[in-house]
Amino acid sequence: MNHLPEPARVVRLPDGTHVYADQMPATFQSGPQVVQHIHQAAPDRTVQRLALGSGVGAGAVAAGVYFGPLLVGVLTAIAANLAMLAFLALILAWGVHTVVKSTGSSEGAAAVKNARRLARRRHR
């Protein structure tokens, strides 16, 4: 019943290249490459290591590409909301201060002067 051709097998050689299994060389002459630092890696591997990081998969890179700008946008929106709330609190505090100052009695003004005199004496 299976009349489809068998898929060709692809083999990855130690140097990182891919070949079909039927075209694979009989002997492959390549010593193991020991890489201690990223700048010692072969140029094609260096780009991959920089993009993916050490031990990080492509899914994490894709998530960073997707969620990075999203996170920046969310943090910007939060900062804008906090700035707006701080501005609103400043306006409300100024309004309360103005109302209290304008409706205060002469006794309140005398109390403020007395409190200022006491504060000046303590700081000397």
Side-chain angles (χ1 to χ4, degrees):
M1 180 113 187
N2 189 0
H3 57 279
L4 296 174
E6 198 171 309
R9 287 189 43 212
V10 177
V11 177
R12 182 172 181 222
L13 298 176
D15 68 347
T17 59
H18 293 83
V19 295
Y20 291 109
D22 57 350
Q23 298 173 356
M24 196 165 76
T27 59
F28 187 77
Q29 301 290 330
S30 175
Q33 181 184 10
V34 178
V35 178
Q36 293 180 357
H37 298 284
I38 191 166
H39 65 274
Q40 294 176 339
D44 59 333
R45 297 291 182 149
T46 304
V47 174
Q48 292 173 2
R49 288 185 180 144
L50 285 174
L52 297 177
S54 178
V56 177
V61 173
V65 168
Y66 179 77
F67 289 114
L70 195 64
L71 180 64
V72 170
V74 167
L75 291 177
T76 303
I78 291 171
N81 286 339
L82 289 176
M84 186 61 133
L85 287 174
F87 184 67
L88 184 63
L90 179 71
I91 290 174
L92 288 175
W94 174 77
V96 168
H97 169 74
T98 304
V99 169
V100 168
K101 188 176 178 182
S102 66
T103 59
S105 64
S106 60
E107 293 173 0
V112 168
K113 283 183 181 179
N114 191 20
R116 284 185 184 157
R117 281 188 207 145
L118 289 175
R120 285 183 191 155
R121 287 182 189 168
R122 288 182 189 158
H123 289 292
R124 287 184 181 179

